Amino acid sequence: MILILEANTDQESAQYGLLVRYLSSLINITYEVRHIQGANQRLTEIYLLGDTKSLSMEFMRSLPCVQRVVRVQEAYRILGRHGQEDFPHQFEYNKITFDQTSLHVFAGLCAVDTPEHVELMMKALKENGQVCTRMGAYKPRTNPYSFQGHGKDCLPHVFELAGKYGIQIICMEVTHESHIQEIHEALEATGHPTGVMLQIGTRNTQNFELLKCAGRQDDYPVLIKRGFGITLNESLNAAEYLASEGNRRIIFALRGMKTNLGDPHRNFVDFTHVPVVHRLTRMPVCIDPSHSVGSRQKSPDGLMDVMHATAQGVIAGANMILVDFHPNPAKALVDGPQALRLDELPFFLEDIQIARDAYLKRVELVQSRQAST
Ligand code: PEP
Ligand code: MN
């Protein structure tokens, strides 16, 4: 059972004191308090664990500070929507708000290579009004002899350049607990010129020890990618590992499934699952069209498959786009063939806006239909 308290409940108040005193007196039931800082308000949720079947919903709702009571199903206990259509969840990081209604673009380098390329990328983002990016420093590679990323050595200049160009969040994959510490130290050393969203890649979706580490820390939000060869349910449970350790700032990313049935795409594009994840959980949903499609191939209409896939995800309500760009794709050390060029950024953003407007119109349409019936 989850008790959702009135927004901005003061934990020093007498009312709150009464509530926790009552919860402490319950036999065979423990509770955990979690806070989520949104753009305008702080939400508090209290998770009751144990023998909660005998608790009456009406009575729990009548307790001081309680606004709402949700009886949870076993699946996705914390992240789940539990059949509640109206179950708000949003978080803010570095002044940017994430929820199931917003949309943010994270265009950037699959892998950091030269400082010049990082700077050209960030300059293009700024010129196009973008404040988020992706930058891979730790690269999980299939072949041990392939470029593995510059690791912690590149972090100071990446963070400083981000600060110079007003980048507020860098999405960066981590493959080991020590990488979180290295990111932390580099941010401290450079005076926090930017923020970092930790990315758990598809190869590590079920690396439970890594998930627990990313879930235990509260400094950075986490983007977890769907596992490429496991069920959606298994990937959502992986996300629940992060939440069960305390972190509530989690975004779930679709990046395609590994099967030859998706050929000639690199992976089988799975963006029809955007609304499914919205329905099952409260997480914002990201799409990664670059790793799904894996090329710059175009259809006869002139649009690249990457752009078609992006539009399909956005028109289905995606909340974040993680996409590979490079100033000179031929020189990229990782995934050059799927990278878009910087001169394509304004075109890409305009195309996204068309799909986004169409999505918002679709929502308006269904809402007006609901209002009239
Ligand atoms: C990436 O985003 O750089 C990446 C390696 O993606 P994935 O984990 O989806 O393969
Ligand atoms: Mn890549």
Side-chain angles (χ1 to χ4, degrees), residues 110 134 139-140 173 199-203 225-226 255 266 288 291 322 324 335:
C110 179
R134 58 159 295 149
K139 297 305 300 177
E173 179 161 0
Q199 179 178 325
I200 307 280
T202 196
R203 292 161 188 78
K225 288 203 173 184
R226 177 183 194 166
R255 49 81 70 204
R266 183 173 175 180
D288 177 344
H291 290 82
L322 190 73
D324 290 1
D335 286 346

Side-chain angles (χ1 to χ4, degrees), residues 89-301:
H89 174 77
Q90 62 167 219
F91 66 83
E92 200 195 47
Y93 178 63
N94 258 7
K95 302 199 180 70
I96 298 178
T97 300
F98 295 88
D99 60 18
Q100 288 192 343
T101 62
S102 50
L103 176 63
H104 303 290
V105 181
F106 285 63
L109 305 181
C110 179
V112 171
D113 42 36
T114 67
E116 293 70 33
H117 287 155
V118 174
E119 179 147 20
L120 284 170
M121 183 72 237
M122 293 196 181
K123 189 164 173 285
L125 290 167
K126 185 177 164 75
E127 283 165 5
N128 284 279
Q130 299 301 300
V131 293
C132 298
T133 190
R134 58 159 295 149
M135 290 279 151
Y138 308 95
K139 297 305 300 177
R141 304 303 303 281
T142 305
N143 183 334
Y145 309 115
S146 304
F147 172 64
Q148 303 285 310
H150 286 309
K152 72 173 188 269
D153 294 345
C154 70
L155 300 181
H157 76 257
V158 169
F159 293 162
E160 274 158 8
L161 285 168
K164 178 172 171 188
Y165 291 100
I167 300 293
Q168 281 159 251
I169 307 181
I170 301 176
C171 191
M172 183 175 278
E173 179 161 0
V174 291
T175 61
H176 191 269
E177 179 184 3
S178 59
H179 300 159
I180 305 174
Q181 188 56 29
E182 287 171 6
I183 288 170
H184 201 69
E185 283 165 14
L187 280 173
E188 290 274 303
T190 51
H192 292 270
T194 187
V196 171
M197 177 183 288
L198 305 176
Q199 179 178 325
I200 307 280
T202 196
R203 292 161 188 78
N204 279 308
T205 307
Q206 285 187 313
N207 179 342
F208 299 118
E209 296 311 314
L210 180 63
L211 295 175
K212 286 186 208 165
C213 292
R216 268 198 293 274
Q217 61 77 39
D218 203 20
D219 294 312
Y220 312 106
V222 182
L223 177 88
I224 177 166
K225 288 203 173 184
R226 177 183 194 166
F228 59 74
I230 56 178
T231 63
L232 182 63
N233 174 46
E234 286 163 336
S235 290
L236 295 177
N237 269 303
E240 185 76 15
Y241 261 88
L242 295 163
S244 73
E245 293 291 328
N247 201 329
R248 291 291 182 283
R249 299 190 290 182
I250 305 168
I251 297 175
F252 187 79
L254 298 169
R255 49 81 70 204
M257 306 302 296
K258 199 181 192 76
T259 156
N260 289 345
L261 299 178
D263 288 359
H265 289 160
R266 183 173 175 180
N267 287 288
F268 203 125
V269 183
D270 55 351
F271 299 167
T272 46
H273 278 169
V274 170
V276 178
V277 181
H278 279 167
R279 179 170 72 244
L280 293 175
T281 79
R282 298 186 276 158
M283 288 184 282
V285 181
C286 172
I287 51 165
D288 177 344
S290 303
H291 290 82
S292 297
V293 169
S295 78
R296 296 175 42 87
Q297 292 283 316
K298 277 183 193 154
S299 58
D301 58 20

Side-chain angles (χ1 to χ4, degrees), residues 26-135:
L26 293 170
I27 296 169
N28 291 335
I29 293 176
T30 56
Y31 68 90
E32 270 175 33
V33 183
R34 299 282 174 208
H35 304 289
I36 306 147
Q37 185 63 54
N40 306 314
Q41 56 187 27
R42 180 176 143 103
L43 282 181
T44 303
E45 295 181 345
I46 301 187
Y47 291 76
L48 301 183
L49 307 170
D51 188 14
T52 58
K53 282 201 185 67
S54 57
L55 300 178
S56 128
M57 299 276 282
E58 274 68 48
F59 179 72
M60 297 309 283
R61 201 175 296 123
S62 72
L63 291 171
C65 308
V66 174
Q67 186 178 60
R68 185 163 183 185
V69 181
V70 175
R71 180 125 11 230
V72 300
Q73 293 129 13
E74 264 312 294
Y76 329 132
R77 191 188 284 173
I78 297 167
L79 295 173
R81 190 164 274 283
H82 307 296
Q84 310 275 309
E85 272 176 32
D86 166 28
F87 196 172
H89 174 77
Q90 62 167 219
F91 66 83
E92 200 195 47
Y93 178 63
N94 258 7
K95 302 199 180 70
I96 298 178
T97 300
F98 295 88
D99 60 18
Q100 288 192 343
T101 62
S102 50
L103 176 63
H104 303 290
V105 181
F106 285 63
L109 305 181
C110 179
V112 171
D113 42 36
T114 67
E116 293 70 33
H117 287 155
V118 174
E119 179 147 20
L120 284 170
M121 183 72 237
M122 293 196 181
K123 189 164 173 285
L125 290 167
K126 185 177 164 75
E127 283 165 5
N128 284 279
Q130 299 301 300
V131 293
C132 298
T133 190
R134 58 159 295 149
M135 290 279 151

